[in-house]
Amino acid sequence: MSSDEWVYLFGNSEKRNGKWGFATVAGVHGIIILPDSFQDPCTNGGSQPFHGGDGNWSSNIYTEGANWSAMEGNGAVFLPAAGKRDGATISNVNADATVCYWSSTHKDDDEAYLIITNYDGGATVNFTPNSDSYRRIGRSVRLVK
């Protein structure tokens, strides 16, 4: 996605308020992004409603089976904390700090824009929609339709 598309998904507009949050799905840390028209299957008698916005890894815990399938069936997307590769060094896989994905927007021949969500282990969450990073560093990508 482009930087503008990422910024929209994580934006603070009335339409996007509460439509993303930190989560653990099948034991893997990451973030969940919800569509604008999301209807939470767990708010009508379910066991765990979605908590959007500033949370932590324990705000939204889903098992691999029916628990997550219900969310996914209503359009929820999970982005795991997949880490990064710099040369032969791999770091931050399933880390308690960062979920980072490339955007398709490049800054110049050496740098591209990233979407980074940081959870620092406390009550604060920092979202940096346009952080520069060298394109030689391996980061996750998300293909969308």
Side-chain angles (χ1 to χ4, degrees):
M1 292 186 288
S2 71
S3 288
D4 288 344
E5 290 167 325
W6 281 112
V7 168
Y8 172 78
L9 286 176
F10 289 96
N12 290 324
S13 68
E14 186 174 322
K15 184 183 265 190
R16 295 299 305 157
N17 187 31
K19 298 292 185 178
W20 72 275
F22 287 93
T24 301
V25 177
V28 177
H29 294 323
I31 53 175
I32 291 176
I33 301 173
L34 306 174
D36 292 345
S37 60
F38 180 76
Q39 296 295 317
D40 193 339
C42 296
T43 58
N44 297 319
S47 62
Q48 183 171 346
F50 181 78
H51 300 283
D54 295 350
N56 59 47
W57 306 119
S58 62
S59 295
N60 301 294
I61 299 175
Y62 298 95
T63 60
E64 193 172 353
N67 188 259
W68 172 245
S69 293
M71 292 291 286
E72 195 172 35
N74 284 314
V77 174
F78 179 66
L79 302 177
K84 70 177 182 177
R85 180 197 47 80
D86 190 355
T89 304
I90 296 173
S91 60
N92 290 53
V93 176
N94 202 30
D96 286 343
T98 304
V99 176
C100 181
Y101 282 76
W102 284 120
S103 81
S104 63
T105 308
H106 69 277
K107 179 179 177 185
D108 55 34
D109 288 342
D110 295 323
E111 296 178 308
Y113 291 105
L114 297 170
I115 300 305
I116 302 172
T117 57
N118 292 313
Y119 168 64
D120 66 4
T124 61
V125 176
N126 302 307
F127 174 67
T128 307
N130 287 326
S131 291
D132 299 351
S133 186
Y134 291 104
R135 295 166 71 181
R136 65 177 170 75
I137 297 174
R139 302 218 187 241
S140 297
V141 296
R142 183 66 183 193
L143 301 176
V144 295
K145 176 179 168 181

